[in-house]
Each structure stands twice: as C-alpha cells, then as structure tokens.
Amino acid sequence: MRFLMKFGGTSVADAQCIGRVVDILEKHHKAGDELAVVVSAQRGVTDQLIALAEKLPAAKNCSEVSPLIAHLRERHMTTLAGAAPDYTTEVGAVIEKRLASLQHILFAVHNLRELTPRSKDYIISFGERLLAPVVGAALRQRGIPSTVFDGCEAGILTTPQHGEATALPESDGRIKRKIGSLLSKEVPVIMGFMGCTENGILTTLGRSGSDYSASIVGAGIDADEIWIWTDVDGIMTSDPRVINDARVLKSISYIEVMELSYFGAKVMHPRSIDPAMRKNILVRVKNTFNPAHPGTMIVRNGYRDSRVVKALTYIDKVASININGAQMIGRPGVAKAIFSALADHEVNVMMISQGSSEANISLIVDESHLDAAVDALAFLVRDGIVREVTHNRDVCAVAVVGAGMAGAAGTGGRIFTALGKAGVNVMMISQGSSEANISFVVRQQDGPRAVRVLHDEFRLSEECE
Ligand code: ADP
Ligand code: ASP
Ligand code: MG
C-alpha cells in the first residue's frame, strides 16, 4: 500500500514522541508499504513565532529575540540528541543555520518596524523548518533512507494569499514527479504548513495547515490512504475538551468533516479534505499515543444511523453584523452591494440570514475580520441605503452536522425545542445547502451549554454504529 502519513504538533513534541512516530513508520516500511511523511512544527512553536513576530514592529527593543532563539535551539537540539544521536553534528549544523536566518529576519522586522504578510509567512514557517530535519534524521538513525523537503521543494504551488494560501492544480503533477518517484527507494519527510507561489515566494496554508499539506501531497502521490496522526483516537462527536463523554466516530463523510472543521473543530484544517475528496482517497484520523485503535475513517459516504445528527461543534472567534432598514425592502442590488464590499475588503462571511421582510440581513464573520467588515459597510448608512449597521462580538456559532439530516423532517424542530427548554436563546439560524449542517448563533457564554444540550438530545455518547 502507498500511504501519506501526517504527524501533528503533539505527536512530535519531544524525542520520545518522535520515537513513537518512527516505530509506526518502521513497522509499515518493513511490511513493504510505500510511505511519504508530512510533519508539523513541535507543539507550541508556531504560536511562539507568531506572538513575537507580531510584537516586534512596535517593540522598544529586540530583547525577546535572543531568548526565543535560545529556547528553540535548546528544544530542537535536545530532541535531535534523543531521536537521532548519530546525526547531532550534521543535522545540528542545519538547525544552527536556520536559527541564524530566523534571528536575522526577526531583527529586520524590528528595525524596519514593519511585518509584511510575506515576512510573517517566512517567520512562522520556521517551526516546520527546524523540526523536519530531526524527523528525517530519526528515520536514518533506524536505517530507513530519508530526504527532507520543504513545501515548495515537494512541489506545492499556491495562490499568493499569504497566511491562507490555496494549492494550485499544477501541484499535483509536480508532487508526483518530485515525491512520488522516490517512494520505492526512501521515506521522504515533507515540512507541512507551507508551499510557494510560481515565483518561489514562500506561503503558508493557514493555521493547522499541515493537515492540508497532507491531503495535497497524498493526492499528488496518489496515496491509497492518508493517515492523520494526532493526540486523540479519531474524530469525535464533539470536542472532548468541551464534552467529556464525546465518542469516537468509526466513519464520517468528507462533507461532514468539512462542515465540522469550517465551524471550528480543531481536529482538521477546513480545506484539508478537498484534495483527498477529489481523488476519493480514504483519510484516517489516528492516535499516535494509541496506534492500535482503528481511529476514524473519512470516506465519501460515512456511516449513518437513525440518530441523523452525527457531531457538534462551535466557534467563538466570530462576530455578528446586523444590517437593518426598511429602505432595503424591494430594492434590488442591496445584497450585491453588501457582499461585493465585503469581498473587496477580503472579509470571510461564515453565515448569512435574511428576514423574509427583507428589512434585515444578518451576517457572521471571523472576529479578526470585523473591523474590516464594519469599514466596508460604512457606505450603506452614509448613502442612505440602510438605516443602521450594528455588530456584536459576544456571539458564537454552533454547527449541528450530519449528512442524514438531508430529507429527515423534524431535526430543526428537535434542535430548537431542546435549546428552548434549556433556556438557550438563539439569535440567528442558517442551514447550508448541503443539508449536512444546521448552524445557529447564541451568546458566547451559551456555546458550550448549547453543545451539551444537543449532545444529550441526540444521544451522541451512546455507541450504536
Ligand atoms: P495536531 O497537532 O495533531 O494537528 P490538533 O490540536 O490540531 O492536533 O487537533 C487535535 C485536537 O482537536 C484534539 O486534541 C481535540 O482536543 C481537538 N478537537 C476538537 N474537536 C474535535 C473533534 N470533534 N474530534 C476530535 N478532536 C477534536
Ligand atoms: N504549525 C502550524 C500551526 O501550528 C501548522 C500545523 O500545525 O498544522 O498552525
Ligand atoms: Mg492540527
């Protein structure tokens, strides 16, 4: 079999974890499987890089740069010494060189007092740049030949949208040539989270983007299966940190996972399903710390049972915008004006709902896009197109996901009756056209309770697959 295996930040957090990763890979390698590997940064490193990069333009001095570099050196050198003792000199020199480049660019950001999207992407890719050579060395230490590639060298070509780049279709053929051709001889290790534009400028694929890298590379090498190794047994009926009796799903469909991750379920990156789905590649989510567990299979048509609802999630880093005014009634083009203005300001609109009277349109946007959205819509009041545009940060969006909801009458009624009984006030409702998702908005503090109420209502903690 040909596999793409991706290991997330917790799975590579230290030398012991990398030992587990190599055990898994060695077992498959010895069994004759062909393997390509995508790795993330060590847990927490990307957050540290982002925090410092964002601080530097306004910082009084560079005093935080050296401590971060020293911390990254210590962490990666310790991991290297534990995971690949024969390679400390060779790979240690690679790490030192990368740390020097990182230090340079951090000083430059401070001196210029400017963090451009391009330099930010370069900086935040260093978590993967520092870790991937350690994983490659750990494989060689066990006698498994391995070369390390960054996203660009692996063939991932992207749009120039820094921080949220999307893979271009040309990536497929390039990955096949660069990585696919090696698989009979070695186990290549590819840095997740990054690609490059046609001009070779580094881009990143969005937070948690290594899942997306895994799917892009898995599709490029025509993998039989893509395995996402993480720190939980699979995709669960809800975030186990919110719902303590959440249950692992045996299977789930591509569409259901897309809906879940779009609404904040951290277990997968929202765009990571698309490349696998295009090629109908089975994706498995498995636990590095419990490899014997079968995990969750993501397939075209996941298992359905009478419960109809499969999983729940919520996202609280959102804000609502309400556009009101009787002037909108019967006036063509208002929606077009609103959405064009938002698109011009690169605002991501997550949910839309319009009252049948047409006197109100409500939107949910990423909280980080709220200021841009408010600026974009200021003309509506100024030009007398609507009466007012108000916003509210104290909201969260809850998604109820299950492909079986399509055509099953009464699910909406059950959801909102249960919430009403529990005293949760619903501020806005929307149903995606896929009918695999009913989403609604509640006050931020009500999000976890809404999920709890519905998890019980649909008996999601009970095994019945
Ligand atoms: P990795 O570093 O391996 O990519 P992440 O932290 O990005 O791991 O994602 C795994 C985490 O996602 C889990 O530890 C869990 O807390 C969280 N999570 C949120 N929703 C779900 C869900 N529905 N099923 C499983 N895990 C979820
Ligand atoms: N290291 C990146 C992040 O923290 C990508 C990933 O982990 O998937 O977002
Ligand atoms: Mg992740």
Side-chain angles (χ1 to χ4, degrees):
M1 296 258 282
R2 177 174 280 196
F3 291 105
L4 182 292
M5 297 211 178
K6 176 256 168 177
F7 296 89
T10 320
S11 303
V12 291
D14 57 28
Q16 203 186 355
C17 291
I18 291 180
R20 264 184 224 110
V21 166
V22 179
D23 287 344
I24 291 168
L25 294 170
E26 190 178 30
K27 189 173 140 225
H28 284 274
H29 181 68
K30 282 194 173 146
D33 291 325
E34 289 185 340
L35 303 164
V37 178
V38 166
V39 287
S40 301
Q42 287 190 298
R43 184 191 183 162
V45 171
T46 313
D47 290 335
Q48 290 170 330
L49 292 167
I50 292 175
L52 183 57
E54 288 181 346
K55 229 191 263 177
L56 280 175
K60 278 204 198 77
N61 54 47
C62 292
S63 63
E64 287 186 49
V65 172
S66 302
L68 179 67
I69 298 290
H71 164 77
L72 294 175
R73 175 180 296 113
E74 161 68 22
R75 187 165 177 190
H76 288 86
M77 292 299 191
T78 307
T79 309
L80 175 63
D86 294 350
Y87 291 88
T88 47
T89 310
E90 180 194 323
V91 177
V94 173
I95 291 174
E96 278 304 343
K97 217 168 141 202
R98 294 202 174 146
L99 288 170
S101 307
L102 174 61
Q103 184 157 1
H104 267 113
I105 173 96
L106 290 172
F107 283 145
V109 166
H110 179 256
N111 290 334
L112 296 168
R113 310 238 167 250
E114 188 186 32
L115 179 66
T116 62
R118 193 190 278 199
S119 47
K120 182 173 175 184
D121 263 2
Y122 182 56
I123 292 169
I124 70 178
S125 73
F126 270 86
E128 277 72 9
R129 276 179 196 290
L130 293 169
L131 197 266
V134 178
V135 176
L139 282 167
R140 295 199 294 281
Q141 180 80 43
R142 294 265 186 107
I144 303 172
S146 176
T147 314
V148 178
F149 297 84
D150 70 24
C152 191
E153 290 163 344
I156 301 179
L157 260 196
T158 75
T159 57
Q161 208 184 350
H162 286 288
E164 265 319 321
T166 300
L168 296 171
E170 300 91 287
S171 304
D172 220 54
R174 292 164 61 108
I175 294 166
K176 200 184 304 295
R177 280 195 304 280
K178 291 174 183 230
I179 305 295
S181 60
L182 296 175
L183 299 180
S184 57
K185 302 181 275 280
E186 61 157 292
V187 177
V189 172
I190 297 134
M191 300 172 200
F193 188 42
M194 68 186 83
C196 65
T197 64
E198 278 167 53
N199 301 329
I201 311 286
L202 182 136
T203 50
T204 62
L205 307 173
R207 292 309 307 272
S208 297
S210 304
D211 298 328
Y212 187 27
S213 309
S215 189
I216 299 165
V217 178
I221 62 168
D222 287 310
D224 295 305
E225 294 190 9
I226 296 169
W227 288 15
I228 306 289
W229 290 92
T230 183
D231 59 356
V232 283
D233 283 338
I235 297 184
M236 305 175 83
T237 49
S238 194
D239 187 341
R241 288 168 301 189
V242 178
I243 301 292
N244 54 15
D245 55 353
R247 185 176 47 86
V248 177
L249 294 161
K250 288 199 178 92
S251 80
I252 186 166
S253 70
Y254 295 130
I255 301 287
E256 289 168 329
V257 175
M258 268 194 231
E259 297 283 5
L260 275 181
S261 55
Y262 184 67
F263 280 90
K266 205 191 160 204
V267 68
M268 290 280 271
H269 174 288
R271 274 173 292 139
S272 58
I273 289 302
D274 187 60
M277 186 168 79
R278 270 190 295 109
K279 291 207 169 166
N280 209 12
I281 300 174
L282 187 151
V283 180
R284 256 181 233 277
V285 178
K286 283 180 65 80
N287 191 349
T288 322
F289 302 89
N290 185 16
H293 192 288
T296 302
M297 283 193 299
I298 309 174
V299 289
R300 191 161 295 280
N301 296 307
Y303 179 84
R304 293 190 190 176
D305 68 32
S306 57
R307 282 176 296 191
V308 178
V309 169
K310 199 141 192 188
L312 304 161
T313 182
Y314 77 97
I315 181 165
D316 57 10
K317 289 192 177 60
V318 294
S320 67
I321 298 178
N322 285 298
I323 303 163
N324 298 306
Q327 298 96 317
M328 285 195 280
I329 297 178
R331 182 170 172 167
V334 177
K336 175 171 179 253
I338 292 171
F339 293 108
S340 310
L342 292 171
D344 290 346
H345 284 68
E346 299 196 353
V347 173
N348 176 28
V349 179
M350 292 189 69
M351 283 169 68
I352 304 164
S353 118
Q354 177 170 26
S356 56
S357 71
E358 298 182 41
N360 169 286
I361 294 179
S362 303
L363 310 169
I364 295 294
V365 298
D366 283 4
E367 201 171 35
S368 61
H369 293 183
L370 179 62
D371 293 341
V374 169
D375 277 355
L377 299 178
F379 77 99
L380 290 170
V381 176
R382 201 180 52 229
D383 299 351
I385 301 171
V386 307
R387 191 180 69 251
E388 60 171 9
V389 178
T390 58
H391 63 264
N392 185 359
R393 287 178 195 269
D394 178 28
V395 294
C396 81
V398 181
V400 180
V401 172
M405 291 193 297
T411 314
R414 242 177 110 181
I415 293 172
F416 297 109
T417 305
L419 292 170
K421 270 197 204 140
V424 176
N425 179 36
V426 176
M427 300 154 84
M428 171 179 166
I429 300 173
S430 141
Q431 175 166 14
S433 59
S434 74
E435 288 189 60
N437 169 13
I438 294 177
S439 40
F440 57 89
V441 176
V442 296
R443 280 191 314 170
Q444 201 161 55
Q445 68 187 65
D446 288 340
R449 197 153 58 91
V451 170
R452 177 75 265 173
V453 166
L454 297 177
H455 204 268
D456 291 342
E457 171 65 26
F458 290 97
R459 296 182 291 108
L460 294 187
S461 44
E462 288 171 28
E463 196 71 51
C464 70
E465 286 173 78

